[in-house]
């Protein structure tokens, strides 16, 4: 009789949860989308693990996730600028992110910390989660989705049962992952820009804003130049979407994210474009950002460009050799610089 393969959550880190593309089609009845804060990372992680791009993943923050395989081997893939370690019979070894790895029963994978950004996505081969209202995404506030359908975030001691996988093939790697994007976060003014003074939008795009400690999957409170209302700081509640920038009476903006409410009574000065929302969600408390305005048409064009970039990244994923060592990445990584050819009288570096 075969043994059930499981992945145990030893520690979930700061906050780990099951997410996918989100719960679409229910905002009209007050149900947020939820879903992965950075869909590009989710898609890359799944592609590295040989899974459909919209399959459920483990989304985690700032390191601390520690998982162990039980009952059989488990293939995992990590997307994000993470410091990854694997504990096995030969001790602990560090593993590059942006690749998959197959760990044997009893072996563990840890995400020690993050470099740039604070979000990592971990795809797990064989992870099947029953959808609730069409999605496996965890929405804690309403108790929807997640590993057992109750809306709970992942917690120490939980075990995720994994389906028996087909032939996995070799592990995969993305040798040239996306670089951190230093550009301003782009936004489209409105829909209630007329509720603010003429100087408010100029202030929003004219200086730095700092991410406060009040930042989670629901939204990010920012601190910077005060945005003056032209009248009352409240409106009759109307629809919001991820990316909406609400401004309460204190004049400090709040950017809504995936778990945000579907309606609100604060006027919205602008909306962050979808192509940049993942970048904003990945900022840590204390980091600063700047905004820049674009038109709605430019925002749509940027969305198409981001999709093309994502497709190119996924297409660039390739199998690792059987020994798991990516020689091409080593040879092209310029590990030693300043090397010169003995016969090159001009002493030009070879790399």
């Amino acid at each position: 009789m075969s043994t059930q393969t499981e992945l145990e959550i030893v520690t979930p880190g700061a906050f780990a949860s099951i997410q996918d593309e989100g719960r679409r089609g229910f905002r009209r009845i007050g149900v947020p989308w939820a879903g992965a804060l950075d869909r590009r990372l989710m898609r890359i992680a799944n592609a590295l693990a040989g899974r459909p791009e919209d399959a459920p993943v483990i989304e985690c923050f700032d390191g601390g996730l520690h998982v162990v395989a039980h009952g059989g081997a488990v293939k995992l893939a990590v997307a994000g600028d993470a410091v990854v370690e694997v504990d096995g019979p030969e001790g602990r070894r560090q593993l590059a992110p942006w690749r998959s790895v197959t760990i044997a029963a009893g072996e563990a994978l840890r995400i020690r910390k993050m470099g740039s950004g604070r979000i990592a996505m971990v795809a797990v081969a064989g992870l099947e989660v029953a959808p609730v209202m069409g999605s496996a995404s965890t929405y804690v506030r309403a108790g929807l989705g997640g590993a057992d359908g109750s809306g709970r975030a992942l917690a120490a001691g939980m075990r995720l049962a994994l389906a028996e996988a087909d032939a996995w093939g070799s592990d995969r790697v993305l040798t040239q992952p996306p670089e951190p994007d230093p550009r301003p976060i782009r936004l489209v003014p409105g829909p209630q820009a007329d509720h603010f003074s003429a100087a408010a939008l100029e202030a929003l795009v004219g200086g730095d804003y700092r991410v406060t400690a009040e930042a989670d999957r629901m939204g990010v409170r920012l601190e910077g130049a005060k945005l003056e209302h032209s009248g009352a700081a409240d409106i009759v509640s109307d629809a919001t979407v991820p990316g909406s920038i609400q401004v309460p009476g204190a004049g400090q903006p709040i950017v809504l994210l995936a778990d945000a409410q579907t309606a609100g009574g604060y006027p919205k000065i602008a909306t962050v474009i979808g192509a940049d929302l993942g970048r904003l969600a990945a900022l840590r408390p204390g980091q600063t950002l700047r905004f820049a305005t674009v038109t709605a048409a430019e925002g749509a064009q940027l969305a198409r460009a981001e999709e093309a970039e994502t497709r190119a990244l996924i297409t660039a994923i390739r199998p690792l050799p059987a020994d798991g060592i990516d020689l091409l990445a080593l040879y092209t990584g310029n590990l030693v610089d300043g090397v010169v050819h003995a016969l090159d009288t001009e002493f030009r570096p070879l790399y």
Side-chain angles (χ1 to χ4, degrees):
M1 184 173 65
S2 62
T3 303
Q4 172 72 61
T5 301
E6 297 177 319
L7 186 71
E8 179 187 359
I9 308 299
V10 180
T11 57
F15 185 88
S17 63
I18 302 293
Q19 300 293 339
D20 58 15
E21 286 198 312
R23 196 163 281 109
R24 304 302 173 110
F26 300 99
R27 293 187 70 81
R28 68 186 186 280
I29 58 172
V31 180
W33 286 338
L37 288 177
D38 190 325
R39 292 183 64 253
R40 172 181 281 186
L41 287 185
M42 176 194 74
R43 294 169 65 187
I44 290 174
N46 277 322
L48 287 166
R51 286 167 60 77
E53 292 178 19
D54 60 350
V57 297
I58 298 174
E59 177 186 87
C60 57
F61 298 85
D62 291 323
L65 180 69
H66 178 192
V67 297
V68 175
H70 293 284
V74 177
K75 182 188 284 290
L76 304 161
V78 179
D81 187 19
V83 175
V84 184
E85 293 177 346
V86 172
D87 293 339
E90 299 177 359
R92 183 171 297 172
R93 69 185 192 275
Q94 189 163 317
L95 193 74
W98 304 102
R99 60 159 289 176
S100 64
V101 61
T102 302
I103 60 174
E107 292 187 323
L109 180 140
R110 305 169 188 255
I111 297 182
R112 280 294 182 188
K113 61 181 181 179
M114 299 297 297
S116 61
R118 63 189 297 248
I119 302 173
M121 301 288 177
V122 181
V124 186
L127 178 61
E128 295 181 358
V129 181
V132 176
M133 301 178 73
S135 172
S137 287
T138 306
Y139 180 52
V140 174
R141 285 176 173 82
L144 297 175
D148 59 3
S150 69
R152 292 189 298 159
L154 296 176
M158 280 188 175
R159 292 199 177 198
L160 306 177
L162 306 180
E164 191 169 331
D166 298 328
W168 285 335
S170 61
D171 285 313
R172 303 177 183 184
V173 64
L174 177 60
T175 55
Q176 293 186 319
E179 296 287 340
D181 189 343
R183 292 176 295 180
I185 301 295
R186 292 158 294 191
L187 51 78
V188 177
Q192 282 108 26
D194 57 340
H195 281 251
F196 297 87
S197 68
L201 186 60
E202 293 180 12
L204 182 64
V205 299
D208 291 344
Y209 279 85
R210 185 181 67 85
V211 177
T212 71
E214 296 178 89
D216 59 16
R217 283 185 47 86
M218 187 173 183
V220 176
R221 286 183 179 267
L222 303 177
E223 185 177 69
K226 183 177 179 179
L227 305 178
E228 297 284 351
H229 298 83
S230 60
D234 298 310
I235 60 173
V236 176
S237 291
D238 71 351
T240 62
V241 295
S244 293
I245 303 180
Q246 293 185 312
V247 185
Q252 297 298 306
I254 303 170
V255 185
L256 302 185
L257 299 178
D259 280 2
Q261 73 280 7
T262 60
Y266 296 131
K268 298 172 286 293
I269 190 170
T271 305
V272 174
I273 65 172
D276 286 353
L277 203 51
R279 286 201 290 132
L280 189 148
L283 294 174
R284 295 188 178 95
Q287 285 189 278
T288 59
L289 69 148
R290 294 181 72 92
F291 291 108
T293 58
V294 296
T295 65
E298 288 169 335
Q301 184 178 6
L302 290 166
R304 290 191 291 270
E306 192 221 15
E307 174 61 20
E309 291 170 5
T310 302
R311 290 255 46 92
L313 287 166
I314 292 172
T315 300
I317 291 172
R318 55 185 175 78
L320 274 168
D323 59 10
I325 299 174
D326 187 3
L327 293 177
L328 180 59
L330 291 175
Y331 293 154
T332 58
N334 194 18
L335 299 179
V336 180
D337 61 8
V339 177
V340 298
H341 195 290
L343 299 179
D344 189 341
T345 57
E346 295 182 19
F347 294 98
R348 293 189 299 269
L350 292 179
Y351 301 99

